[in-house]
Amino acid sequence: MPKKMHIELTVNGKSHEFLAEPRELLIHTLRERLNLTGPHIGCETSHCGACTVIVNGKSVKSCTMFVAQANGADLTTIEGLGTPDAPHVLQTAFREHHGLQCGFCTPGMITRASKLLEENPNPTEEEIRFGMAGNLCRCTGYQNIVKSILAAASELNAAKEAAE
Amino acid sequence: MIPAAFDYYRPKDMGGVIALLQEHGDDARVMAGGHSLIPMMKLRMAEIAHLIDLQDVAGLDGITVEGGRITLGAMVTQHQIIDSAALLAAAPILREAALQIADPQVRYMGTVGGNVANGDPGNDMPGLMQCLDATFTLVGPDGSREVAARSFYHAAYMTDRDDSEVLTSVSFAAPRGGYAYEKQKRKIGDYATAAAAVQIEKNGDVCASASIAMTNLSDTPVWSKAASAALVGTTVDDAAIAAAVAAMQADIEPVEDNRGPAAFKRHAAATVLTRAIRRAWDRA
């Protein structure tokens, strides 16, 4: 048996400690060990972005990171962004603007978009298309995803202004 | 897609990395961002018994611009390159190239050191570093040495780096004049069908110096001395550009693969180089 490692992760504000083989992929840790099934396994080859999570402030494809690399890291998954009762602004915007059809790519889309808006709160349509280029959708044709993110940006900026 | 089992190490300094490489020899590999190596491990095209993660090694993630010289630590990511105001001012070709590498998620992880050290002919930074006449610093059991980017690449995945050495930084003189990195790819995230890196200096109406390097058109990046020379002393008119393209064609050796037949790649190479020269000249 390969040697197991002691791993510590903070996921959506909650600490986890466990033993795992270093080769365990982060997406498998999240889905199978921590039962966070929001991040999806799409292509498994770092192309599609369905497994996107935030690791220490970076958007990362969790199919292309070993759990050993993430040891000690702070992670956010779609489950940490919003809940059915208190959805994230992006989740509401995707629903209102038909930013999804089958929904498979949506957790990755929204997790990536949340980071994009954090780095660039006023993106142009072109900047959204460029910033979302690591996430593939096979249903929507992207138009409504872009619209959803633009709408969420306006909403977040209006909320920020109101607070000031 | 589960890779073969391995032991994982995260040393805090280069001494620890070198000691592990000496202990395990061919069975050990260093990993930077892992976005080339991990896919290969998942496909089991690479089996690494001892994986040495460089993420905690101190001193590898700095960007310095000092006295006209730019140094990038090996662990500087494409995302950091795109974000650096100092680099944009000192060597804007880096940002232009980095924006054309992979996709946003991959650019948070992908590093300049991994990109140049891996020896993949599809990577963009090796050609760019040859265009800039960069120097790579390698650290090994006997200390450190420097190798010119233009003599680092021997064949696909075969470089001047010994198995017991680690590439720790790249450095180059701040380029002067106009620049362009032009890449033709099938889709976001793909490697180049053809790409060209061009730096041009102008003196009055005349080209004073030029440097041209091509990506993914041979089993190594190609710095074309003849193509560069074809522009010098000209006004970079259509005839001069055609001469540079013809000289470049003599230096590349594209082969047919899933990006197209060799003749198509030569066509794409001519197109990207023509565009890159025109844009660099406009900016010179």
Side-chain angles (χ1 to χ4, degrees):
Chain A
M1 276 293 286
K3 209 161 56 184
K4 289 195 173 183
M5 274 179 73
H6 179 244
I7 304 281
E8 289 182 33
L9 296 178
T10 303
V11 186
N12 303 326
K14 198 175 158 200
S15 301
H16 300 272
E17 283 187 47
F18 50 89
L19 292 174
E21 286 186 47
R23 65 172 163 171
E24 184 172 301
L25 293 164
L26 184 58
I27 184 67
H28 294 144
T29 308
L30 294 170
R31 290 180 57 84
E32 292 165 27
R33 195 182 280 280
L34 306 180
N35 292 322
L36 295 168
T37 54
H40 288 161
I41 299 174
C43 69
E44 255 199 291
T45 54
S46 65
H47 288 96
C48 79
C51 64
T52 299
V53 300
I54 299 169
V55 181
N56 290 336
K58 300 170 173 183
S59 295
V60 169
K61 294 180 177 177
S62 60
C63 76
T64 308
M65 180 176 272
F66 295 123
V67 69
Q69 289 172 279
N71 191 14
D74 188 25
L75 281 76
T76 304
T77 68
I78 186 72
E79 288 90 344
L81 290 179
T83 64
D85 294 333
H88 188 276
V89 173
L90 276 161
Q91 290 171 314
T92 307
F94 268 64
R95 189 175 60 198
E96 283 177 3
H97 297 270
H98 304 281
L100 64 148
Q101 287 183 28
C102 86
F104 190 86
C105 71
T106 315
M109 286 282 175
I110 289 179
T111 309
R112 169 60 197 147
S114 72
K115 187 69 204 163
L116 173 67
L117 293 184
E118 193 185 306
E119 291 182 351
N120 180 3
N122 288 298
T124 61
E125 177 178 337
E126 196 188 343
E127 286 168 343
I128 290 174
R129 288 183 183 275
F130 192 74
M132 296 300 294
N135 293 75
L136 301 182
C137 171
R138 301 287 81 163
C139 315
T140 68
Y142 301 103
Q143 190 57 40
N144 289 345
I145 291 174
V146 175
K147 268 191 208 163
S148 304
I149 297 170
L150 277 168
S154 310
E155 183 92 2
L156 286 165
N157 289 331
K160 217 183 297 168
E161 270 174 36
E164 277 164 7
Chain B
M1 296 169 76
I2 312 290
F6 55 83
D7 285 332
Y8 174 86
Y9 309 87
R10 211 195 272 186
K12 299 233 182 301
D13 55 44
M14 198 46 66
V17 177
I18 301 298
L20 285 163
L21 284 173
Q22 283 186 288
E23 185 183 346
H24 299 294
D26 282 358
D27 291 336
R29 277 286 291 274
V30 299
M31 178 175 70
H35 274 50
S36 296
L37 184 59
I38 294 172
M40 297 307 280
M41 291 172 74
K42 287 168 68 179
L43 292 166
R44 300 211 178 198
M45 290 170 79
E47 290 200 19
I48 314 291
H50 301 276
L51 186 66
I52 308 167
D53 186 345
L54 298 178
Q55 69 168 293
D56 280 354
V57 176
L60 292 183
D61 63 351
I63 297 174
T64 55
V65 181
E66 236 174 53
R69 192 132 189 110
I70 296 162
T71 303
L72 306 175
M75 292 295 279
V76 168
T77 63
Q78 315 299 351
H79 184 80
Q80 279 175 275
I81 287 174
I82 291 165
D83 244 19
S84 167
L87 266 188
L88 180 61
I93 194 171
L94 258 76
R95 184 172 193 272
E96 183 158 296
L99 282 168
Q100 298 178 66
I101 294 175
D103 65 44
Q105 283 94 319
V106 176
R107 290 193 292 265
Y108 281 104
M109 295 301 293
T111 65
V112 64
N115 198 289
V116 299
N118 195 26
D120 184 337
N123 283 353
D124 292 285
M125 287 287 169
L128 177 56
M129 292 301 152
Q130 291 195 339
C131 171
L132 295 170
D133 198 13
T135 301
F136 300 158
T137 301
L138 303 170
V139 173
D142 303 323
S144 76
R145 67 182 177 108
E146 300 201 325
V147 183
R150 290 178 189 170
S151 51
F152 185 71
Y153 298 96
H154 300 323
Y157 303 102
M158 303 289 287
T159 68
D160 210 56
R161 187 185 63 81
D162 185 77
D163 282 344
S164 64
E165 291 179 312
V166 180
L167 190 151
T168 55
S169 67
V170 305
S171 72
F172 48 91
R176 290 189 298 257
Y179 66 92
Y181 193 81
E182 179 77 21
K183 178 176 177 179
Q184 172 63 46
K185 55 187 175 181
R186 295 172 302 178
K187 58 178 270 294
I188 289 279
D190 193 18
Y191 294 104
T193 301
V198 175
Q199 286 278 163
I200 296 182
E201 274 186 280
K202 198 185 224 173
N203 185 1
D205 289 335
V206 175
C207 170
S209 76
S211 180
I212 290 172
M214 307 299 294
T215 290
N216 219 9
L217 294 159
S218 282
D219 66 347
T220 63
V222 173
W223 178 67
S224 179
K225 190 177 181 177
S228 312
L231 297 179
V232 176
T234 74
T235 55
V236 190
D237 54 9
D238 289 351
I241 294 174
V245 167
M248 173 277 291
Q249 294 283 10
D251 284 346
I252 62 171
E253 293 177 72
V255 293
E256 177 167 351
D257 63 15
N258 56 6
R259 291 184 183 83
F264 171 69
K265 292 183 172 187
R266 287 191 177 275
H267 170 77
T271 303
V272 295
L273 181 55
T274 301
R275 286 178 187 166
I277 292 171
R278 291 218 164 102
R279 192 157 75 239
W281 184 244
D282 278 349
R283 288 164 165 172

